[in-house]
Structure formats: C-alpha cells, structure tokens
Amino acid sequence: MQIAVLNERRPYMSSLIRRRCGHVYTEEDGIQGDMLPYLHIWHLQVPTFGLMLWLAAVAAAFVMDRNFKRAGIDADAVGMVAVAALLGIVGAKLWHVIDTPVEFREIGWRVLWDPAGFAWYGGLIFGISALMFQGWWAKIGMLKTLDLAAPAAAIGYGIGRIGCFLSGDGCYGIPTTLPWGMSFPNGIEPTLQRVHPTPLYELAAGLVIGLWLWRRGGKAHGTGAIVGQYLMLSGIARFLVEFVRRNPKIIWGLSNAQLASLGSVVAGVGLVWWAANRPATDPDEAAAAVEKAA
C-alpha cells in the first residue's frame, strides 16, 4: 500500500520547507508537523477527515451498543448511531453555513458539498434530535436514550477531532510559544506559525469526559443525569478551548461557539437538577429485571 501526503486544494510553495519521508520541517525554527490531508492508496484518494469521521462513528456505535447491553436493552444501537451520525453531519454543515455566510456568498450552494467546514453544535442539535426520536420510537424513552448515548458521543467527538488534526483544516488555535505548539505548513489551511494544536486538546477532553460518563452511567442515577453531565462538561471544555482557537469573537469577547457552550452548560445544569429530584435507577438491577422478565 502506497501512502502519500497530498494537498491539492491549497498547494504550499516555500524555500523554507523541506519534505522528507512524509514529514514537514521548518528550517527557520525547527518545528516538525505530520500532516496527512489525504491518503493515496493505490488509485484512491481518501481524505483523512472523512476517514476519522467514519472511525468516530464506529467507536461511538461500539460504546453505545455496550451501554445498551449493560442496561439490558434489546435495541439496534448501531443503527441509531448511524442515523444520528448522518443527520449530525447535515446539521454540522448547515450550522457552519449559517455561522460563516461569507463562504456562501463566495461559492454559493457548492458550500454544502465542500468537504471542509463543519460546526459541532449544529451536529449536536441534529444528532440529539435524531436520538430522541429513535428512543421514543423504540419505546426506550427519549432522555434515557440520551443518557445511554452520552459516553459514545463524547468519545466519538474526540476521535473525530483527529481528522481535523491530520488534515490541518484550520481548526487549530492561535499562535503560541508553548513547547507543544505546532505548525501545519502542508495542511488544507497551511500555517508556518507555532499554534495551539486544539484538536488534540479536544481529543483529550472527549476521551476523559467519555470515560467519566461511562463510569457514572454504571451507578444509580436519575434519568437525564448522564446527558446533563455531558452537556455541562462538553460545554465547559469547548468554552475553554475557544479562548485559544482562531474563531472570531461575536459579542463580549466571546465566539459563537462559546455562546452556544454557555447554553449547553445551562441546559446541562437544568437536567442534572431535574434528574436529582427523580427516582434513581441502577443499571445492573434494570438489566437483571429485563432478563428475569424474558
């Protein structure tokens, strides 16, 4: 299998750059960055962003399926994740178009098919709506379905961010002098400056949040508590990361994503408070009851 680093959208030409074995070096400051916007496998050109998006959906489906089994629920978790992921992609693209109308003015409706440009909160809203409908349809319960999906959503989001990192699609942060600052000279949106590798920050946050929610889900809790914690923790994580991302500030020195994060935190606090006043259920007891009934 032959793998090559490609960048057809924005070719970068500079005497400062030397390519060696798929790596990029900057002679000026010694920064090294590994970027794979595309994998060239025989005659196929595979975008790493799309590949990692697929891997994120697979990981999320696995985690949610395990959560269903732990709760004793006989439903198609994999199918639910597939539908939610598909609608989440649609929502992420629509949110991005609304959030950055300048792209629509420049290239028109083609922006909807552009492989770059997805907004997390659009995907979150559409994905949650899809899960709630499917949970209601399967008679699991909308909030209970969201509780079961929360760890999978956090882990899937973190893995998906690896695609942003590999492709250098502009989701990186502002310039930094920290030792782990990186440049993305061969990315889809290239930069020679040392910048915050914010996709890696979000990868770490997603995995930590997912592990926390998985452990909390295995203990007694009121319905809605787990998804409430997910909204709180993911909102806080995104709010903090935005301080070192390149997104423009909208109001009060905050970006659009930070304003959405505040809404997520408020909704999460409300759900956690509401769940605390509901009867707590133990997943192990619920699974045992289902097996006994069967």
Side-chain angles (χ1 to χ4, degrees):
M1 180 175 68
Q2 179 187 6
I3 299 178
V5 180
L6 303 175
N7 184 12
E8 295 185 353
R9 295 183 60 190
R10 299 191 184 186
Y12 187 82
M13 301 295 292
S14 172
S15 60
L16 295 176
I17 304 300
R18 293 184 291 115
R19 292 181 176 82
R20 182 187 304 164
C21 300
H23 300 287
V24 179
Y25 299 90
T26 315
E27 294 182 352
E28 183 181 56
D29 51 18
I31 304 171
Q32 174 182 336
D34 296 334
M35 286 153 297
L36 291 170
Y38 300 93
L39 296 180
H40 187 213
I41 306 173
W42 290 291
H43 298 293
L44 298 177
Q45 183 173 301
V46 182
T48 51
F49 179 83
L51 182 63
M52 294 311 302
L53 203 62
W54 172 82
L55 184 59
V58 170
F62 174 79
V63 173
M64 189 164 168
D65 182 66
R66 297 299 301 173
N67 219 5
F68 270 35
K69 286 181 169 60
R70 181 170 68 172
I73 295 175
D74 184 17
D76 184 11
V78 175
M80 287 185 176
V81 170
V83 172
L86 179 60
L87 291 180
I89 292 172
V90 172
K93 173 58 72 173
L94 291 176
W95 185 290
H96 174 74
V97 171
I98 295 171
D99 189 37
T100 55
V102 64
E103 291 188 16
F104 182 80
R105 288 195 295 267
E106 289 178 353
I107 65 176
W109 292 106
R110 285 182 299 159
V111 70
L112 295 177
W113 289 269
D114 189 356
F118 294 88
W120 163 242
Y121 281 105
L124 180 66
I125 292 172
F126 274 61
I128 283 180
S129 299
L131 287 171
M132 291 177 68
F133 176 79
Q134 292 178 95
W136 168 79
W137 185 264
K139 295 181 172 56
I140 300 171
M142 291 188 289
L143 270 182
K144 187 172 183 179
T145 301
L146 295 183
D147 278 343
L148 293 167
I155 292 172
Y157 174 73
I159 294 175
R161 280 305 185 189
I162 300 176
C164 299
F165 176 75
L166 290 176
S167 63
D169 63 358
C171 287
Y172 44 77
I174 59 177
T176 181
T177 57
L178 292 172
W180 56 82
M182 298 182 63
S183 64
F184 295 83
N186 198 44
I188 293 176
E189 292 193 19
T191 177
L192 275 175
Q193 289 183 298
R194 285 179 181 265
V195 295
H196 284 278
T198 50
L200 297 185
Y201 299 168
E202 294 182 275
L203 165 64
L207 295 180
V208 170
I209 292 171
L211 177 60
W212 167 263
L213 296 175
W214 174 266
R215 298 187 64 178
R216 293 301 304 166
K219 300 178 180 180
H221 59 270
T223 302
I226 305 303
V227 68
Q229 293 178 52
Y230 167 75
L231 291 173
M232 287 173 52
L233 295 173
S234 61
I236 291 171
R238 183 58 185 268
F239 184 85
L240 296 176
V241 168
E242 280 294 308
F243 282 114
V244 293
R245 279 189 62 165
R246 302 188 308 150
N247 286 339
K249 308 306 178 185
I250 305 299
I251 188 173
W252 302 324
L254 302 177
S255 67
N256 185 44
Q258 284 177 309
L259 296 176
S261 296
L262 291 177
S264 175
V265 172
V266 170
V269 170
L271 271 174
V272 170
W273 177 84
W274 184 82
N277 295 288
R278 307 286 294 177
T281 57
D282 190 313
D284 293 332
E285 293 179 0
V290 170
E291 291 177 1
K292 184 176 180 181

